[in-house]
Amino acid sequence: MSKRASHAPSIPHRHQLALQEAVAAYTRGDWNEAERLCRRILKAMPGQFDTLHLLGIIAAQTQRTEEAAALLGRAVAINPSDAAAHSNRGNALQALRRLEEALASYDRALALKPDFAQACINRGSALQDLGRFEEALASYDRALALQPDYPEAHYNRAVALQDLKRPAEALASYGHAIALRPDYPEAHRNRGVALQGLDRLPDALACHERALALRPEFAEAHSSRGVVLQALDRPAEALDSFERAIALAPGFAEAHGNRGVALLDLGRPSEALASYDRALALQPDYAEAHANRGAVLQSLRRLKEALASYDRALALRPEHAGAWSGRGIVLQEMNRLVEALQCYERAIAIAPDFAEAHFNLSTLCLMQGDFARGWQKYEWRWRYKKLDKTLGKRRAFAQPQWTGAEPLEGRTLLLHAEQGFGDTIQFCRYALAASARGARVILEVPRPLRALLSNLAGVAQLVEDDGPLPAIDFHCPLMSLPHAFSTTPDTVPTPGRYIESDPVRVARWRAELGEPRGMRVGLSWSGSHLNVGDAKRSITLAELVAHLPPQHAYFSLQKDLREGDAGILAANPNIRHMGADFADTAALCELMDVVISVDTSIAHLAGALGRPVWVLLPVIPDWRWQLKGETSPWYRSARLLRQQVIGDWGGVLGQVRAGLLALSPAPPAAPAAT
């Protein structure tokens, strides 16, 4: 607040001395003494302007804002020509969120004193609070024209520029503020926020750490540091930062909300939910926390509660694109697909570059068989940062990506894996289609798939990921190939067998297994727990075993066993765990009468081999299995067994049991009567 004690000729000498003592006490920080002296003067002279003004400033400094506004109102009524009093009254009114009145006070101060730089800054702050960012920026520019070396004006100008989504200009203004005042922790912290908006995360982290070096107890900087660490995929360190912020400021709702994000990333959803609940107890209108709470509830499969959280977020902030997209995910999981589509489209209308919403829309379109729109939208995956853990960063090549339009005759095309093993197995089929266009195809795959795909049709050279690459003309990620080839459900290439098993391995396993006694059935009941959809796609071995007819020989084709699986296998000697690599698993699939798998790489492998495979699917499966029917355009040999009720595997496993019983060898015929 501006402080002013003007000369008042009519004040008696003893009160004039008392007022001077009060100003001196205020200046040295002894506000209690300053207030005692002011009240003594006002007892004798209730309308003394300078005393009312100073007492109003003291009330504001000691967080008695209502009292401050009243005292300063009395002061300007007595002396309406004092610009400083009008500005200070504006500050008190702004703190009370009486923003239009505050703005009027600042305007009055500037009408009285046009070169009052501090009033220009305060006016800009009120305009920002009113959401009038362009006017706020103009007010800060006016302050800087009056006083170019005013660090607070540069700082506030930068904040307005951030509100206007102009982070590069904001960065420059923070730089000016810091150049004028190097020990300005708020400017360092907010400069870090601007740098994060420009995706310069290491620089942003350095700014937050500089702010904390200047002020170790700066809770907002700890929280902002945590946000950057989260973006750098360092959630454990981010959690430490958020918890430090909360220790310094237990009522800091945003830090509690950010802590929830880190906990969810660390696989601790129940704790994340508690953190969001704490944030909302502190700040019930915190839209971001409601939206994030919806995401964690969705991950816990509490879909109705998740939907309610998203609805609350949108009631508070109707233009929250993230909440619309998250709401769409929940509705999609609830099989309310028309509403889900509307949510994704609403999110995109609000934020046209919102990659998450485009990606979510792509999966819904593909699931519904709208391949044309689905493949086009699926290219947004590269801009969806949350998928980095699954996809990895987009590869940078000097050569262009092949889009399907460029001629391939006589050119070398690198096809490279980008996602999971099952995805690579599903989409490597396009190598033959690319070769048919005249390309020399180089296929790059993860090491565990090298032996399996060593003889894939259409591939001139197979290389491992992270290994040296030959000279190429074009490259294409495997999962961009359907878009490049304009694939429709009716034009999926090679829906029959397109991977060949190693005959030597098949012979070895045939000898190892011996003569079949009954049907041979391959089993895979769970995929990687890291997959975001694992909770709905995997089942427990105990559930599966309970539905298996005892007369068959069962073989576990699982890549990994989960907790408790080994004990169940030990108790069921008719299930033999193979623990083989992909090439050996392919050989084993050749020897199975049927493979039964949830949506994991084993299902894709059996389908690519053209072997009979029953794929067990939730009501809302991964997009590649679509929504209806027992057949798949991707695998001619697949039979799709679908849940009828969300989360209920009983009906699906009942179909498995009935199907296996139907496949049982017929009992020998009774001897003919003589």
Side-chain angles (χ1 to χ4, degrees):
M1 285 223 169
S2 305
K3 65 179 187 293
R4 181 182 185 279
S6 64
H7 177 65
S10 61
I11 186 171
H13 181 65
R14 69 180 184 281
H15 295 319
Q16 180 68 33
L17 291 176
L19 180 57
Q20 291 172 357
E21 288 179 34
V23 171
Y26 175 86
T27 302
R28 68 175 180 265
D30 189 352
W31 296 345
N32 287 335
E33 176 62 9
E35 182 169 349
R36 185 188 69 78
L37 291 166
C38 285
R39 293 199 180 280
R40 192 176 78 183
I41 296 167
L42 288 174
K43 189 172 183 179
M45 303 181 66
Q48 211 291 311
F49 166 77
D50 292 303
T51 308
L52 284 167
H53 189 187
L54 180 56
L55 191 57
I57 292 170
I58 294 168
Q61 296 280 25
T62 53
Q63 308 303 312
R64 291 139 50 203
T65 315
E66 291 277 6
E67 183 182 351
L71 288 164
L72 292 164
R74 287 170 59 192
V76 297
I78 291 165
N79 184 2
S81 63
D82 191 283
H86 282 288
S87 183
N88 286 333
R89 180 173 181 265
N91 292 344
L93 291 166
Q94 186 175 353
L96 292 168
R97 310 304 296 167
R98 292 160 60 181
L99 299 177
E100 294 290 355
E101 295 174 77
L103 189 60
S105 283
Y106 297 136
D107 285 340
R108 181 60 184 152
L110 287 165
L112 292 164
K113 187 179 180 184
D115 63 348
F116 193 172
Q118 182 63 58
C120 288
I121 293 176
N122 294 342
R123 181 177 183 273
S125 178
L127 286 163
Q128 272 184 270
D129 285 349
L130 286 164
R132 294 159 61 178
F133 303 129
E134 290 284 2
E135 294 173 78
L137 184 62
S139 204
Y140 298 136
D141 285 340
R142 179 179 173 186
L144 287 167
L146 293 166
Q147 194 172 330
D149 60 350
Y150 201 158
E152 287 82 358
H154 285 288
Y155 171 82
N156 284 5
R157 181 177 189 273
V159 174
L161 286 163
Q162 278 186 271
D163 285 333
L164 289 166
K165 312 298 183 191
R166 293 157 61 180
E169 295 170 79
L171 194 62
S173 281
Y174 286 128
H176 290 311
I178 290 167
L180 291 164
R181 189 198 296 174
D183 61 346
Y184 197 162
E186 291 86 358
H188 285 287
R189 180 254 179 179
N190 275 26
R191 183 171 183 269
V193 173
L195 284 162
Q196 184 178 357
L198 293 167
D199 209 26
R200 292 170 55 183
L201 298 179
D203 293 336
L205 185 61
C207 282
H208 295 313
E209 289 177 345
R210 176 62 179 150
L212 289 167
L214 291 166
R215 189 191 298 167
E217 74 286 359
F218 191 177
E220 290 82 358
H222 282 288
S223 185
S224 295
R225 178 179 181 270
V227 171
V228 175
L229 288 165
Q230 188 75 22
L232 287 167
D233 197 23
R234 293 158 62 178
E237 295 170 81
L239 181 62
D240 287 341
S241 279
F242 298 138
E243 291 185 339
R244 177 64 177 149
I246 291 165
L248 290 164
F252 188 2
E254 185 177 335
H256 285 282
N258 289 336
R259 179 177 179 269
V261 175
L263 286 164
L264 187 57
D265 256 16
L266 289 166
R268 296 157 62 180
S270 296
E271 293 172 80
L273 183 60
S275 206
Y276 293 134
D277 286 343
R278 178 59 181 150
L280 290 167
L282 292 165
Q283 187 178 326
D285 62 350
Y286 186 2
E288 197 66 34
H290 283 290
N292 287 340
R293 185 175 184 272
V296 75
L297 286 164
Q298 187 262 331
S299 76
L300 292 167
R301 313 299 300 156
R302 292 162 59 179
L303 299 180
K304 290 183 180 179
E305 295 170 79
L307 186 62
S309 278
Y310 282 123
D311 286 343
R312 178 61 180 146
L314 290 166
L316 291 164
R317 198 196 304 172
E319 299 301 292
H320 192 317
W324 280 110
S325 183
R327 185 175 189 269
I329 293 172
V330 173
L331 288 165
Q332 186 169 323
E333 292 295 318
M334 297 173 79
N335 204 16
R336 293 163 60 178
L337 303 183
V338 172
E339 295 169 84
L341 179 67
Q342 292 168 345
C343 285
Y344 298 145
E345 290 179 335
R346 177 66 176 142
I348 292 166
I350 293 167
D353 291 331
F354 187 21
E356 179 182 348
H358 285 282
F359 177 80
N360 290 339
L361 179 57
S362 79
T363 63
L364 181 55
C365 289
L366 291 169
M367 185 187 301
Q368 294 180 308
D370 183 357
F371 278 23
R373 191 181 189 196
W375 297 130
Q376 183 266 324
K377 292 288 184 183
Y378 198 68
E379 292 301 297
W380 281 86
R381 69 193 184 279
W382 300 114
R383 297 170 63 180
Y384 182 14
K385 292 183 180 179
K386 288 183 181 178
L387 289 183
D388 281 353
K389 292 179 185 177
T390 304
L391 304 179
K393 297 288 185 183
R394 187 172 193 174
R395 301 273 294 278
F397 292 93
Q399 298 80 5
Q401 179 171 326
W402 184 66
T403 66
E406 302 82 358
L408 287 178
E409 187 68 42
R411 304 295 185 91
T412 299
L413 172 64
L414 171 68
L415 304 181
H416 47 98
E418 63 174 85
Q419 298 189 30
F421 296 137
D423 304 290
T424 302
I425 292 168
Q426 180 176 3
F427 293 100
C428 69
R429 71 181 73 209
Y430 282 90
L432 184 59
S435 177
R437 291 200 182 185
R440 181 176 184 271
V441 175
I442 311 295
L443 178 63
E444 182 192 66
V445 298
R447 175 173 293 181
L449 294 178
R450 176 161 188 158
L452 173 69
L453 301 178
S454 60
N455 295 311
L456 185 69
V459 175
Q461 183 179 349
L462 190 75
V463 295
E464 289 181 16
D465 56 2
D466 298 327
L469 292 173
I472 61 172
D473 298 299
F474 297 103
H475 77 95
C476 190
L478 282 181
M479 299 188 73
S480 290
L481 288 166
H483 182 44
F485 280 96
S486 301
T487 302
T488 70
D490 297 324
T491 63
V492 169
T494 55
R497 184 184 185 101
Y498 59 89
I499 289 179
E500 295 298 329
S501 55
D502 180 352
V504 174
R505 293 180 190 244
V506 174
R508 187 173 70 241
W509 279 111
R510 182 176 281 114
E512 169 73 17
L513 298 185
E515 288 299 315
R517 286 193 287 259
M519 305 287 292
R520 286 180 178 152
V521 181
L523 302 174
S524 180
W525 54 90
S526 62
S528 169
H529 70 280
L530 298 175
N531 186 292
V532 294
D534 186 63
K536 69 173 184 178
R537 69 164 181 173
S538 292
I539 59 177
T540 66
L541 178 56
E543 287 178 287
L544 179 59
V545 165
H547 290 80
L548 297 178
Q551 60 266 42
H552 298 310
Y554 298 99
F555 298 85
S556 163
L557 305 180
Q558 282 286 121
K559 294 300 169 193
D560 299 295
L561 297 179
R562 298 195 177 184
E563 185 178 356
D565 284 353
I568 294 172
L569 290 170
N572 289 271
N574 64 328
I575 306 175
R576 180 175 172 184
H577 179 59
M578 308 312 292
D581 66 14
F582 277 102
D584 278 328
T585 302
L588 286 163
C589 286
E590 298 282 14
L591 301 173
M592 298 295 115
D593 293 288
V594 66
V595 173
I596 299 171
S597 177
V598 295
D599 176 14
T600 187
S601 59
I602 301 303
H604 292 285
L605 177 58
L609 289 163
R611 299 299 301 156
V613 55
W614 300 349
V615 187
L616 317 185
L617 298 173
V619 170
I620 302 297
D622 188 73
W623 56 264
R624 70 202 71 215
W625 304 111
Q626 300 183 268
L627 281 168
K628 297 178 181 177
E630 287 195 357
T631 60
S632 166
W634 298 100
Y635 302 112
R636 192 172 290 141
S637 64
R639 178 188 174 195
L640 310 182
L641 306 181
R642 302 178 183 273
Q643 283 182 350
Q644 299 305 306
V645 178
I646 292 174
D648 176 23
W649 286 110
V652 173
L653 293 173
Q655 290 183 68
V656 167
R657 180 175 179 83
L660 289 174
L661 288 171
L663 288 176
S664 299
T674 59

